[in-house]
Amino acid sequence: MTSPKDLSQNGRYPAGRLAFPHRDLTGIGQLERHEILFLLDEAEQWIDLNRQSHKHNDALAGLTIINAFFENSTRTLLSFEIAGKRLGADVVNMHAAQSSVKKGETLIDTATTLNAMRPDAIVIRHGSSGATQLIASKVDCPVLNAGDGSHEHPTQALLDALALRQALDARGEASEDFTGHTIVICGDILHSRVARSNLLCLQALGATVRLCAPPALMPAGIEAMGAEVFNDFDAALDGADVVMMLRLQTERMSGQFIPSEREYHHLYGLTKKRLQACAPDALVMHPGPMNRGVEIDSEVADLIDQSIITRQVEMGVAIRMACLDVLTRSARGLEGWTA
């Protein structure tokens, strides 16, 4: 744990490599509060770059990044690809359907093969929890977790925190954290790596987090992680400042967890009427992809002054640029970041 005397002059985090001493980013659970703040602050510069007509920086020029996605993705893969290219890196995308994994190659063999190609960073998305940590233990370069099973999705939690911070700042509620804010995460909590990473991230930044789901979709013992647990959506929404909706991950379900999508929407769908139970002007979030008419109504998802769903997508590129930049600084020999 970092002591106050070790902090840099801004008081938020240590200087140089001590601000983020990790080689990999495999989960929010590995991070301290000041390390989360550091990544969010680092992303701010890339927000500005991404809003310019010339969206390019040569910070990672000459470096090779492999996006190894063993699980289908559109927005996460595209976001990481854009992030790497805007930083000037050579980006290679590897899809599982085109890899030797489909021919019976083990994950360890794949990691060894990728490592032999001497990449400077590897971004991993895999359907099995712990797969990214396993690969990280077998390669010589930084590994970023782009989602592993039902375990974690750290960059999603970071981009959500950045989007929320930006939205609150635009309202004149600027603060370094979310102390005093109540955030509801509702949906398929059981299968959601996004929910787990967000719970860890938001709590680290001072927020009160309420989790809401049908009993069959609520992990047993989740209260131990400090969340307030609800099965009644209307009760969970009472006075909330932010509502984050999650989709039903039917691809991870074996058996029947809900009676029907219609019944689910009746009990757990975010409607304009339901939103009235929240604090005035409560913010609406969704990590995507959305199932409109199931977990969220279109008139709520598209609320101009309250929905920050498109802002979340925008922040995804900036936070992934920040992560790629920070994790490759040692390899680039930057002052204060060499071992």
Side-chain angles (χ1 to χ4, degrees):
M1 182 71 69
T2 302
S3 64
K5 66 180 181 180
D6 295 325
L7 296 178
S8 57
Q9 288 186 345
N10 63 19
R12 294 165 68 87
Y13 36 75
R17 184 177 175 81
L18 290 177
F20 197 87
H22 310 281
R23 191 199 72 164
D24 309 305
L25 178 58
T26 56
I28 294 296
Q30 75 184 96
L31 306 182
E32 293 189 34
R33 179 180 180 276
H34 73 266
E35 293 166 352
I36 294 172
L37 289 174
F38 174 71
L39 291 177
L40 297 182
D41 288 351
E42 285 293 308
E44 297 282 353
Q45 62 182 311
W46 306 122
I47 297 173
D48 295 336
L49 176 73
N50 292 335
R51 290 176 176 174
Q52 297 174 11
S53 56
H54 182 70
K55 303 174 181 65
H56 188 79
N57 184 287
D58 287 323
L60 271 58
L63 272 60
T64 299
I65 297 170
I66 297 177
N67 293 326
F69 277 51
F70 300 87
E71 194 177 54
N72 289 332
S73 166
T74 299
R75 67 182 63 215
T76 303
L77 176 59
L78 185 60
S79 183
F80 268 111
E81 182 177 6
I82 291 173
K85 288 182 175 179
R86 286 186 180 171
L87 288 170
D90 297 316
V91 180
V92 180
N93 295 332
M94 189 193 87
H95 300 275
Q98 302 166 351
S99 76
S100 295
V101 175
K102 289 291 184 179
K103 303 171 187 175
E105 183 175 88
T106 69
L107 189 59
I108 292 177
D109 287 338
T110 300
T112 302
T113 299
L114 294 176
N115 192 55
M117 297 177 186
R118 299 192 179 276
D120 298 287
I122 303 176
V123 180
I124 302 288
R125 186 180 182 94
H126 200 281
S128 298
S129 299
T132 55
Q133 187 61 55
L134 176 62
I135 291 178
S137 70
K138 302 296 180 183
V139 300
D140 301 320
C141 66
V143 169
L144 287 83
N145 183 358
D148 63 328
S150 298
H151 176 229
E152 277 219 49
H153 195 348
T155 58
Q156 180 67 51
L158 291 168
L159 73 88
D160 289 340
L162 185 60
L164 182 55
R165 187 165 82 169
Q166 288 275 310
L168 293 174
D169 183 54
R171 289 183 170 185
E173 301 178 42
S175 174
E176 75 169 22
D177 62 22
F178 305 132
T179 299
H181 288 83
T182 297
I183 301 172
V184 175
I185 303 176
C186 179
D188 184 359
I189 306 296
L190 180 64
H191 301 102
S192 178
R193 53 198 175 202
V194 172
R196 285 166 175 75
S197 288
N198 263 296
L199 174 59
L200 293 168
C201 185
L202 294 170
Q203 286 187 145
L205 296 178
T208 297
V209 181
R210 298 173 182 171
L211 299 180
C212 182
L217 292 175
M218 184 68 75
I222 193 71
E223 298 92 339
M225 293 182 67
E228 297 179 5
V229 175
F230 293 78
N231 298 130
D232 184 331
F233 192 25
D234 295 296
L237 290 173
D238 186 27
D241 302 293
V242 182
V243 186
M244 180 184 297
M245 302 304 298
L246 305 174
R247 69 180 180 88
L248 292 170
Q249 298 195 37
T250 54
E251 72 277 10
R252 299 186 190 279
M253 297 181 187
S254 56
Q256 185 146 357
F257 286 80
I258 60 171
S260 66
E261 288 188 349
R262 180 177 180 180
E263 180 69 11
Y264 181 83
H265 179 264
H266 175 69
L267 294 173
Y268 296 98
L270 186 60
T271 63
K272 206 165 185 180
K273 181 179 179 180
R274 270 210 169 100
L275 195 60
Q276 294 175 0
C278 299
D281 300 322
L283 296 170
V284 175
M285 305 179 73
H286 195 306
M290 287 185 289
N291 293 310
R292 293 172 182 258
V294 181
E295 73 269 10
I296 189 169
D297 281 359
S298 288
E299 64 176 350
V300 177
D302 299 331
L303 284 171
I304 295 176
D305 297 324
Q306 291 176 259
S307 174
I308 60 171
I309 294 172
T310 56
R311 188 192 293 265
Q312 289 173 263
V313 178
E314 180 189 6
M315 294 304 110
V317 177
I319 202 70
R320 284 156 183 151
M321 291 174 75
C323 291
L324 289 170
D325 173 30
V326 169
L327 291 181
T328 58
R329 286 180 182 177
S330 291
R332 285 146 53 201
L334 297 190
E335 185 178 355
W337 287 83
T338 52

